[in-house]
Every structure is written in structure tokens, then in C-alpha cells.
Amino acid sequence: MLQIRDIIWRLLFIGCAAAIQVEITPTQGEISVGESKFFLCEVVGDAKDIDWYAPSGEKILPNRPDIFVSRSDETTSTLTIYHANVDSAGIYKCVAKNGDKEAQATVQVKIFQKITFESAPSPQEFSEGDDAEIVCDVISSPPPTLIWKHKGSKIQFAKDVRFKILDNGHLQIRSIKKTDEGMYNCEARVMARGEIDFRMIKVVVNVLPTIRARQSEVNATADVGSSALLACDADGFPEPTVTWAHNNVVLETGDKYSLNEDGSELVIKDVAKVDEGEYTCIAKNKAGEKAEEVSLNVFVQPKITYLNNQTAAEFDEQVTLTCEASGDPTPTISWSFENRVFAEGQQASWTRPDTYESLDRNIVVRSHARVSSLTLKNVQFTYAGQYLCTAGNSIGQDDQHMYLEVRYSPKIQGPVATYTWEGNAANISCEVEAHPGASVLWFRDGLQLPSANMTNTKIYNTPTASHLEVTPDSQYEFGSYNCTATNAMGTESKEFLLIQADVPSSPEIQGVEPFSSTAVVVFGEPDSMGGVPIIRYRVEWRLPGQQWTGREYDADDATSRITIAGLKPETTYEVKMSAINGKGESESCPASTFKTEPVREPSAPKLEVKVQKGGNSLKVNWIKQDDGGSPIMYYLVRYKARHASHWKPEIRIPNASEYVVLSGLDWNTEYEVHVVAVNQQGKSEPGTVSFRTATEPTTVPDAVDGGSGLGTGAIVGILIVVFFLLLVGVDVTCYFLNKCGLLMCIAVNFCGKAGPGAKSKDIEEGKAAFTKDESKEPIVEVRTEEEPVPNQEGGGPTEPNETTPLTEPEPAAAAAAAAAADTDSPVVNLLPSAATNSVTESFSAAHGSPASESTTLTTSPTKAAPPKSSPQSDPVAQSSSPTASTQPDVGPLVDLSDPPKVLPVSDPAPPVSEPISSPSANARGPQSQREPVRAPDGAQSKDSQVDGASEESPNAPCTDPTTAAQTDGKTVKDDSTKGETEVKNATAEVKTVPSEAPQANGNESKA
């Protein structure tokens, strides 16, 4: 800015020749008292002298302390006013001279008083009920306007007449209350300058104490070294101080008395009868004082003085227990046994020293003065144990135990019958109660065990029982066993039976609930368990007149429904059941007939939610239900926040997936998820689940859990180093095994070497082997752009749930598949790969989402079981090409040299055929590498990205050869004599690659 101004002045100087012009910046100034400010005088033209003049007209000298003048250069001079006061106001003049030429400029300086609070103390204290005057003294020029506020709002003087602004600006509150306490805002304003300032004043209202004794009367125990606690609670503001007085003497902490920190509790040590009387609690603060009386009553605590243990023998005539106690007032004495106080009619009334007896007169309680006795007649062994005598009065009680020992002969308990079977060990338990302890012996047919005739028995003894382990080898071991227990009081014997277990009876099928591809069998437990628990149930089903297909299910107490799967829609089946225990399997119950439902939409999947680590990511699992008789093609997942009106974009998940992970969700938000199963008949009802995400954490987890102390940069550096070492390891491995990679390029281009293992001899041997094997046919590579039409006949087998048995292929279906394979060559129908490790989808506001949110969805890997009857898997599907994930748009290589083999499958799906390549396809050299496989574009989800192919890809659903040929319009014929392959498809691309013979070293057959 100054540069532009200088240019303008210089132009004016050139235009006006030698004229002098002066300008002061700023042109006027307002300074608050005590503040400082400077003014700049700029001269255009040659000026030898630049001087400043005060309002009084005298020249301002450079050495003045309050006003300072300095010349920066030939054209500028600065006037600085430090700590301005009222005398500094006026018109200041800047004069520039050059010989007889002179120019000047003036500036008017105004001095004003800012808002200044001279007195506004905080806090200001008042007593409740007084007329309070809140002081706030403010000065300014011109005088300010005062505004009072309380609790953030302007005080309405018209509404509350207790508030008033006095002439001096103070705020008056008449009869101030505790509710008037708080922060008051004294705000000053000067309208002329728009200036405002305020002070916050804390108003404190002191309240007269109130006092309340916790107990108006306190009972204390004397002569036992106990203490008495007298307490009172005092309220008030400020917090009152509490003191205690007794007989007009203030009590202080010492040997006899002790006070807590606030004085509200007085402890009288070693209470004696002379300490009885009135004690005064006094509370005092700035507002005044209050007092309260507390009475101390001194009593003697009960104490049991006599109670001894007793001993008796079973069937004795009687035994008497005696309990004596002392105390003031006279204590009452009660008896209890095994947490049971004797009921009315057994317990004496302590108001009358009479005798009371129980209804059977076996328990008698007598009391007189301070003595109580408990008499037990016709002693039984169950009377033994601890008895509790309790003496109590109005101030306390005393408890003591005594033990009644009853000596009795052995008592044998335990189940009489034990079930087992030949070869299975069983324990016969003889539980003995005796005092004193008893010795136990086992007998069989009068012979003590173990004996020479019973070598398959073992005896295990514990303090309370004896266990006889018998492993029966024949029918002889079953029968009666004798347990005899003996002690000093007598002997007792008991017979135990070892019974041979039997298989259970048949369960009863009460009904069948059929669906399209599954059925629920409802059954009742067998009438007879055979003596041992049922461990499994066998369920068998079949088409009328065909072989049975079965599966076993574990049994538990709640098992009454079993689901069978893999059924055909709208088909009649027979089902029967049998029960299995440790002995064996029961007979099957009569078969029940049912008919499955027609093909329909699938049942809604069951959903489960599991919170992932982090809190705002959740894993949604679903359990497949009945597929409606048509294979599940895919699942549709959608979700939204509960309060949102629009759903997130719908996500299509492959049929083999079992879960999806929702990431990047909002914190502490309730979400709703719908999952729909889709087959060719339509969509199921949605399976729904709701959940709420966790609250957003406020701390860094690593810091809270005590991390390793590594910074982010160090962790990133370590990851880079590990990644680099991994790349080097992969390159070296490729160099030695596959003759590729960076090292291979360096060896070939710079050293002229072909790498280890690449010998001409091996190549020649490979060519020789290829020449000798004349039966090998060319390999045909088929690239197709058509989208296979999914249907019931061409779909994969129905995915079983947790209780679905694996069914065997039916002869009729296998024969039909074999007949179809004899007339038509197999055609590979490339369905979308279901063996993906993960599927990631990202959504943003551009997809129509109501809020910008990034969500990651991860699906589960395929868990399809391989075909049971397949002699070998497809080598093309099993080979894992390194470019499988990066170049998925290439068709598969199909070796048509061998005759096709039909793989039988279970009833729910038509026969499936897979191309079986020749052995040379598994041991191909570097030149026999094939292009990776790409699924049809239409069969993949547009929102899914396959990260990598699973090794289980041969298990992916395949199509029926005949159906696939009709759907895709492609037919592949194999002629073993001519070695020609014909592909009928206008859009298909066929590429023939010679098949390589197996290499000698074996390193050339890497996938």
C-alpha cells in the first residue's frame, strides 16, 4: 500500500515540480485512556525539516517520555503517544520545510474513558431473608448504561418487585432467598461507541443451620468395653460446625470421647452406666446456631454363659440340651436346628415359665428365668447335628452353637437296579451313612468279592460310599449283589440287582410337515428305553418301491422334531424311524407316507448378528431354510438405519455365501437388515434382524491397552520391508521352479543363461514323449460370451442345512444320465464362481444412498461338498493359475481326447458331467500353460469383485450336459479316430493347443 502511495506522491511531485505536500495517517484518532497510538507524517517533495507541534503550539522535542517523535527517512516522521491521558487530547500538526517552502497537515486526537469496573467484588455474601445490595461500580465517558442478568436472562424488574436498580447502579434484592443464589451479570454499555463490557458476580446466600438427630434415643451396652455412637446431621450454608455438650460441658476428643472430622458423630468409649443422660448437639455457621438433644440409655448386652455338647445313642429314651444367658433387660432364649426355628407348640413362651411339647411329644422346651432346656425323646440318628442357642434383648443378641453326637448303626442307600450289557462296565453304588464309620464288603452268592469266579469286578471305596464295578462277559454276571456295612453299633445288608439292558422300543411318528425339498418329522419317544438312555435316532426315507436312504441324528431330552432334506418337490415319500441306545438299535416304526409341496419360493433365511472388532462393523450370518424345491440362485441383502426412510442399494450375494460383513456404519445407530433368498420361482419372505452399533470410542485402543510404543511411521516401515522380502522370495521361487521372474530376465538378457532345470535334454524328451503318444488329441479352448440361463434342471444340487443327510444317487437318475452321456459329449457350462474367498462392495451417495457412507461387504467362502461318486476331479478346475484373479475373461481349456464320464449326483439335481483331461494335462511344461477361466459376464454380480479363486472350485454347481447344450446352443463332439473337434456356436472362439507330454524332472507341471 505504501509503495502505491509513494508512486502517486512521486508522480504529483514530478507534476508539481518542487512543490511540498504533507499527509498524516491516520487522518484522525481516538485513544482510550492508558492506551498508545502512533501517527505517520509523509512528505512529498524535498524537505529538510519535518517537525511535530503539540496542541499547545509548542514544538515536540524528541526526548519527551509521553510523546515521542522519530524520523524514519527523508520523507516520513512518526508521532507516538504512549499511555494517553485526558491532557493528550487536541490537534497535532506536522510541518515540513525546505528553505522558503513549507507545508503542513493536522490530525485531531480524541481521548476517551473506556468502560472500567472500579468495584465489582465476587463473591458477595448475604444472609437468607436480608435485603441484599449487589455492588457494581462502573465508570466511562460518557457514563455507561447498566443491565443486570441472572442465569443468562435479563432481570424483569416489573415481574419481581423484590429486584430494583439503585441510583448508584447497584442491584437490590429484598428478602433474598436461597433460590436467588448464583451468578449475576453486571453489563455496562456505551451506545455512542458500541462498547460493551461485563463482570460476573457470584452471589452467596447463607442459610441458618437446621439440625436433626439420627436417633433421639440411643441404647448402649455397658461393662463390656463397647462404645456408643451419638450422631446428628446439620444442614445450612455455609456448612455449619458441630459441637457436643453434656451437663453444660463442651466435649472434646480424648480418652473418653472421639469426634469425626465434621463433628456430627460422637463416640463414647467404654460405656458405663454413669454415661447415661442427655447430650446436646450444637450446629453453628455465619447465619446463627441451632441445638438438638440426644438421650443415651445404657443396658447390658446378653451373653450365653453355659452351653455344652452332648452325646447320645440311637433309640435312647431322651437327651436334654441346656442354655443359660445373662443380660439387662432379661434376655429371651430360642433354639434352632438346621436353619429351622422350632414352630409354635414346640417353643416355650418366655412370658410364662411353662412347659410346652410338640404334637408327637418327642420335642419338649422348658424355660425359667435365664435358663432354657431342649429335650429330645426317642433319639433318632437324624437328630445329630449342630443346634443354635440364641439369647436376645432390646439391644442385641448372643449366638452359640453346640453339637449333638448320635451314634447309630449303618444305613444303606442308593438305587437298587443298575442296567448294562455284556462287555460294558457298570457301577453298583452302595451309599452308607453310619457313626462311627462303617466297613463295607461285597458278596455274590455268599462269596466275598472279588473272588476267583468273579475276576471281572473291581471295588472303589470313598468315605461315604462303596462302588462295585462289574464288566459282564456272560449272562452269569447279571443278577443279585450283596452290600454289607458294619460298625460298632451294628450291621446292615442290602441286595442290588444288575440287570441286562435291552434295545429300546420303536419311536412313534406323530406326523410329517412336508415342504418342497425338506420335511420335518414329528415323533414321540419310545415307550421303553431298554434301561439305558437313547443316544441317537435313525431316520430313513425313500420313494415307494426304491431303496431306503438314512441318516442318524444325536438325541437329547428336547429332541422331538427332525428335518430331512434333499427331497424332490411334489413327490411322495415313505419315512420310518428307529431308536439307538448303548445296547443297540430298535426295530423301525411303521413307515409313514407324505408328499412334498410343489416348487415354490424358498423359505426366509434365519439371521444372526455378531459385532466385529471395532464396534461399527457387523457380521450378518444366515442359515438356509427350505429352498422351495428349486436351488437358491443368490441372496439379496439390503439394510438401512432405523430412522432413515430409504434403504441402501440392494446387494446380490452368491448362493454359496453364508454371511456378509457390514463395515463403516454410523456409531450408536440402530440398523435393520433384510436378507431374501431367490430361486427360479421368485423371492422368499425377508429374514429380518435389527441391531445397534457401539458408541464411538473416545480413546485410542492401542494407548488404552498398553501398546508396544511403535509409532505409525515405524509400523509402515516394517510392513514395507516385509513386503519387499516377500517379493524377493517369490521371485527366487519362480526363478528356480518356473524359470520366470526378474532373476530369470537378468540371467537370460545379461548372462545368456536359461536358468536351472531348463535343459535341452528335457525338452527333447518331452517332444519324444509327445511323438510316441499318438492317442493324444489337441486341447480345445472354448471362449463363450453367452450367459447360461439358470433353471431347475441345470442348477446345482440343493445346499443342505445342518441336519440334511447326504443322499445316494438314484438308479433311475444315474441311468438317464449315462444314456445322455452316450449320445452327447459333455459341454462345460460356466456358472459364476461360488468359491470366492471374499466379495467386496463399496457404496457411496452416488448410488442413491441417502447419506455418504462407505460400506464393505465380505461374503463367506464356499463350503460345497465334492461329488461322492466322482473318480477324479477336473484338473483344469483344480489348477490354480497365477493370473486367475487378474485375467478372468478367458474361456476354459477342455481336453476332448478322452470319452466323457458322467458323475452321478443325488436326486435334488439332474446328472452332472465334468470334462476329464488326459494325464498330459496335469504334467504340462512351460509351453503348455493355459489361459485362465472367465465366467460369463451375466452370471456375475455387477457389484461383486472376486479377490481370488478357491481351491474348492471343482465343487461348484455344474449343469446337465443335455440341458446345457440346449440352453447355450453349443455342441461338442469327440471323434477318437479323426481327432477333430467341432463347436457349433457363432460367437464362440476355438483355439487348438498341442498337448505336451509329461516332463522328466516333474518341475514343469506347476499350476
Side-chain angles (χ1 to χ4, degrees):
M1 188 68 184
L2 293 176
Q3 294 177 354
I4 298 174
R5 188 175 297 164
D6 291 342
I7 294 173
I8 296 173
W9 282 110
R10 294 181 187 278
L11 293 175
L12 292 175
F13 174 76
I14 296 172
C16 302
I20 298 176
Q21 296 184 3
V22 178
E23 182 179 3
I24 298 176
T25 305
T27 57
Q28 62 180 3
E30 288 188 356
I31 309 175
S32 175
V33 174
E35 293 185 350
S36 302
K37 195 168 188 178
F38 74 90
F39 298 90
L40 182 64
C41 179
E42 297 177 290
V43 179
V44 177
D46 293 333
K48 292 183 179 181
D49 299 323
I50 302 177
D51 299 319
W52 284 89
Y53 293 89
S56 61
E58 51 184 68
K59 182 177 179 181
I60 301 175
L61 300 178
N63 56 357
R64 289 183 59 175
D66 55 342
I67 301 177
F68 181 75
V69 174
S70 64
R71 185 167 179 177
S72 304
D73 51 32
E74 296 180 353
T75 61
T76 58
S77 178
T78 303
L79 170 67
T80 304
I81 301 175
Y82 291 102
H83 308 296
N85 52 37
V86 179
D87 297 335
S88 301
I91 298 176
Y92 290 82
K93 179 169 61 175
C94 178
V95 179
K97 295 181 180 179
N98 187 1
D100 57 349
K101 297 180 181 179
E102 178 180 329
Q104 66 180 14
T106 61
V107 61
Q108 184 175 6
V109 177
K110 297 180 180 179
I111 306 299
F112 66 92
Q113 175 66 53
K114 290 201 314 181
I115 295 176
T116 303
F117 288 86
E118 292 184 335
S119 177
S122 179
Q124 299 184 30
E125 297 187 20
F126 308 95
S127 295
E128 188 176 27
D130 293 347
D131 291 339
E133 183 176 334
I134 304 175
V135 177
C136 182
D137 295 329
V138 188
I139 61 171
S140 71
S141 57
T145 301
L146 290 182
I147 299 176
W148 285 90
K149 297 180 180 179
H150 180 44
K151 295 181 180 180
S153 301
K154 187 177 179 180
I155 297 176
Q156 303 294 331
F157 298 97
K159 293 183 178 180
D160 194 341
V161 296
R162 295 186 306 113
F163 291 85
K164 179 182 179 181
I165 295 181
L166 303 178
D167 295 338
N168 56 5
H170 297 175
L171 176 64
Q172 184 187 59
I173 306 176
R174 288 179 291 182
S175 299
I176 193 169
K177 304 176 183 178
K178 186 63 178 178
T179 55
D180 297 328
E181 191 175 61
M183 299 300 296
Y184 285 78
N185 185 351
C186 178
E187 182 177 286
R189 296 185 179 185
V190 177
M191 301 301 295
R193 292 190 301 272
E195 184 181 359
I196 185 173
D197 198 1
F198 65 91
R199 289 291 182 272
M200 299 301 296
I201 302 173
K202 182 178 181 181
V203 174
V204 178
V205 179
N206 297 325
V207 181
L208 183 69
T210 58
I211 193 167
R212 181 185 69 259
R214 298 182 191 174
Q215 290 180 302
S216 60
E217 291 189 6
V218 175
N219 296 328
T221 304
D223 304 326
V224 291
S226 62
S227 301
L229 174 64
L230 310 181
C232 64
D233 298 319
D235 296 327
F237 194 86
E239 189 73 22
T241 59
V242 179
T243 58
W244 289 86
H246 179 51
N247 296 330
N248 297 324
V249 177
V250 177
L251 306 180
E252 297 180 356
T253 299
D255 296 336
K256 183 63 177 177
Y257 305 101
S258 66
L259 297 167
N260 63 347
E261 294 181 358
D262 60 1
S264 61
E265 295 180 354
L266 171 67
V267 177
I268 304 173
K269 306 174 185 177
D270 298 328
V271 176
K273 193 67 175 178
V274 296
D275 295 325
E276 194 172 41
E278 299 293 331
Y279 289 79
T280 305
C281 178
I282 305 170
K284 183 178 181 181
N285 68 358
K286 294 180 180 180
E289 81 175 41
K290 283 289 183 71
E292 184 75 13
E293 298 291 337
V294 178
S295 297
L296 175 62
N297 300 320
V298 179
F299 299 96
V300 179
Q301 185 176 2
K303 184 173 180 61
I304 296 176
T305 58
Y306 179 84
L307 184 66
N308 292 331
N309 295 333
Q310 297 286 335
T311 301
E314 189 178 21
F315 307 123
D316 282 352
E317 183 177 352
Q318 69 178 28
V319 60
T320 301
L321 312 180
T322 303
C323 181
E324 296 182 6
S326 63
D328 184 18
T330 301
T332 59
I333 301 175
S334 61
W335 293 89
S336 61
F337 176 63
E338 294 181 349
N339 298 324
R340 180 175 63 91
V341 177
F342 292 118
E344 184 179 356
Q346 300 173 1
Q347 181 66 57
S349 172
W350 301 108
T351 59
R352 295 181 301 161
D354 298 335
T355 300
Y356 288 83
E357 297 182 356
S358 61
L359 296 179
D360 58 4
R361 297 191 176 184
N362 284 334
I363 301 176
V364 179
V365 179
R366 294 183 177 92
S367 63
H368 179 73
R370 303 172 189 267
V371 180
S372 177
S373 63
L374 174 66
T375 301
L376 306 174
K377 298 181 179 181
N378 299 324
V379 178
Q380 305 293 326
F381 78 96
T382 55
Y383 291 172
Q386 279 192 340
Y387 288 78
L388 178 65
C389 175
T390 302
N393 60 14
S394 59
I395 61 171
Q397 70 178 29
D398 187 21
D399 298 330
Q400 284 191 20
H401 290 88
M402 61 83 57
Y403 187 80
L404 174 61
E405 178 184 0
V406 178
R407 300 167 62 86
Y408 57 95
S409 61
K411 314 293 180 183
I412 297 179
Q413 300 175 351
V416 175
T418 303
Y419 292 83
T420 187
W421 58 91
E422 295 179 1
N424 184 65
N427 287 330
I428 303 175
S429 298
C430 179
E431 301 175 1
V432 180
E433 290 187 6
H435 183 73
S439 61
V440 180
L441 297 177
W442 287 92
F443 298 90
R444 175 74 191 276
D445 296 334
L447 298 178
Q448 182 178 343
L449 299 178
S451 65
N453 297 333
M454 294 287 293
T455 58
N456 54 349
T457 60
K458 297 179 182 179
I459 298 176
Y460 303 95
N461 292 321
T462 66
T464 59
S466 179
H467 305 279
L468 175 65
E469 180 184 291
V470 182
T471 305
D473 295 333
S474 63
Q475 187 65 32
Y476 171 75
E477 278 78 14
F478 296 96
S480 176
Y481 290 82
N482 177 271
C483 174
T484 300
T486 303
N487 70 352
M489 303 300 295
T491 300
E492 183 171 343
S493 298
K494 186 175 182 179
E495 296 293 327
F496 292 89
L497 298 178
L498 183 63
I499 304 174
Q500 185 168 6
D502 198 0
V503 296
S505 61
S506 302
E508 178 186 359
I509 297 180
Q510 298 174 347
V512 180
E513 300 176 5
F515 299 94
S516 297
S517 63
T518 60
V520 178
V521 180
V522 182
F523 65 95
E525 292 184 349
D527 295 334
S528 173
M529 302 294 181
V532 291
I534 294 176
I535 55 177
R536 292 187 301 276
Y537 288 101
R538 181 190 297 276
V539 181
E540 297 179 282
W541 63 92
R542 69 174 182 180
L543 295 173
Q546 297 189 12
Q547 294 183 352
W548 291 96
T549 299
R551 180 181 173 185
E552 293 183 0
Y553 301 86
D554 292 335
D556 54 42
D557 295 339
T559 303
S560 62
R561 301 167 64 91
I562 292 178
T563 301
I564 57 177
L567 307 179
K568 294 181 180 179
E570 208 168 0
T571 304
T572 300
Y573 285 90
E574 295 178 346
V575 62
K576 62 180 181 178
M577 288 185 63
S578 61
I580 303 173
N581 63 6
K583 174 66 176 178
E585 183 176 357
S586 71
E587 295 182 357
S588 298
C589 67
S592 297
T593 303
F594 68 92
K595 184 177 182 180
T596 55
E597 298 290 333
V599 178
R600 57 175 180 79
E601 299 84 358
S603 300
K606 293 183 178 179
L607 304 186
E608 298 176 351
V609 173
K610 182 178 180 182
V611 179
Q612 300 293 94
K613 184 177 181 181
N616 65 335
S617 299
L618 289 103
K619 181 179 180 181
V620 181
N621 293 76
W622 53 80
I623 301 175
K624 176 186 174 183
Q625 303 300 305
D626 185 77
D627 60 6
S630 176
I632 301 295
M633 298 188 296
Y634 51 85
Y635 293 94
L636 297 178
V637 179
R638 63 175 184 170
Y639 68 100
K640 70 178 183 72
R642 180 62 65 89
H643 63 272
S645 58
H646 299 287
W647 293 87
K648 301 291 183 182
E650 196 171 62
I651 310 143
R652 178 180 293 187
I653 303 297
N655 62 339
S657 300
E658 297 177 352
Y659 68 87
V660 64
V661 176
L662 308 179
S663 302
L665 305 177
D666 294 336
W667 295 98
N668 195 24
T669 302
E670 188 170 358
Y671 280 87
E672 182 178 354
V673 180
H674 286 192
V675 178
V676 175
V678 181
N679 63 6
Q680 286 189 334
Q681 299 300 317
K683 300 180 180 179
S684 70
E685 292 294 325
T688 62
V689 66
S690 298
F691 58 88
R692 176 175 289 276
T693 53
T695 304
E696 184 174 6
T698 57
T699 58
V700 180
D702 291 342
V704 174
D705 298 337
S708 61
L710 293 177
T712 304
I715 295 175
V716 172
I718 292 174
L719 293 177
I720 293 175
V721 171
V722 172
F723 182 74
F724 178 77
L725 294 176
L726 182 62
L727 290 180
V728 172
V730 172
D731 191 71
V732 172
T733 303
C734 294
Y735 174 71
F736 284 100
L737 297 181
N738 296 336
K739 302 185 297 303
C740 62
L742 182 60
L743 292 177
M744 184 65 185
C745 295
I746 296 175
V748 173
N749 295 332
F750 296 96
C751 302
K753 297 181 181 180
K759 298 180 179 181
S760 59
K761 181 179 178 180
D762 296 337
I763 300 176
E764 291 175 2
E765 290 178 358
K767 292 182 178 178
F770 179 79
T771 305
K772 293 178 182 179
D773 192 358
E774 297 178 356
S775 64
K776 302 301 178 183
E777 294 297 328
I779 297 175
V780 179
E781 175 185 356
V782 181
R783 296 179 180 177
T784 176
E785 301 295 335
E786 293 185 0
E787 176 180 354
V789 179
N791 51 43
Q792 171 63 22
E793 293 74 22
T798 303
E799 179 182 355
N801 56 24
E802 295 181 353
T803 60
T804 303
L806 299 177
T807 60
E808 298 295 337
E810 297 183 2
D822 292 337
T823 58
D824 297 312
S825 298
V827 177
V828 178
N829 184 13
L830 297 179
L831 295 175
S833 175
T836 57
N837 291 330
S838 63
V839 178
T840 305
E841 304 188 8
S842 298
F843 301 95
S844 63
H847 292 106
S849 173
S852 178
E853 175 178 338
S854 175
T855 305
T856 302
L857 301 111
T858 305
T859 63
S860 60
T862 301
K863 296 183 180 178
K868 297 173 62 176
S869 59
S870 177
Q872 61 184 0
S873 59
D874 186 5
V876 176
Q878 289 180 348
S879 62
S880 177
S881 174
T883 60
S885 61
T886 57
Q887 299 179 359
D889 298 335
V890 183
L893 297 181
V894 182
D895 188 356
L896 304 178
S897 60
D898 293 340
K901 297 181 179 181
V902 178
L903 300 179
V905 296
S906 58
D907 293 341
V912 179
S913 63
E914 295 184 0
I916 309 300
S917 62
S918 64
S920 62
N922 288 334
R924 59 187 182 276
Q927 298 179 0
S928 65
Q929 296 180 359
R930 303 174 181 176
E931 294 293 326
V933 180
R934 183 182 74 174
D937 296 338
Q940 266 187 321
S941 173
K942 298 180 181 180
D943 299 328
S944 300
Q945 175 184 354
V946 180
D947 294 339
S950 170
E951 294 181 357
E952 300 178 359
S953 57
N955 301 330
C958 299
T959 60
D960 182 270
T962 305
T963 306
Q966 295 174 357
T967 303
D968 298 338
K970 298 189 289 294
T971 305
V972 181
K973 297 182 179 180
D974 180 19
D975 191 345
S976 60
T977 59
K978 298 181 180 180
E980 299 178 354
T981 301
E982 178 181 2
V983 178
K984 294 182 180 181
N985 193 336
T987 62
E989 178 182 351
V990 180
K991 186 181 293 184
T992 303
V993 183
S995 175
E996 294 293 331
Q999 297 299 323
N1001 55 5
N1003 290 332
E1004 306 298 324
S1005 61
K1006 301 297 180 181

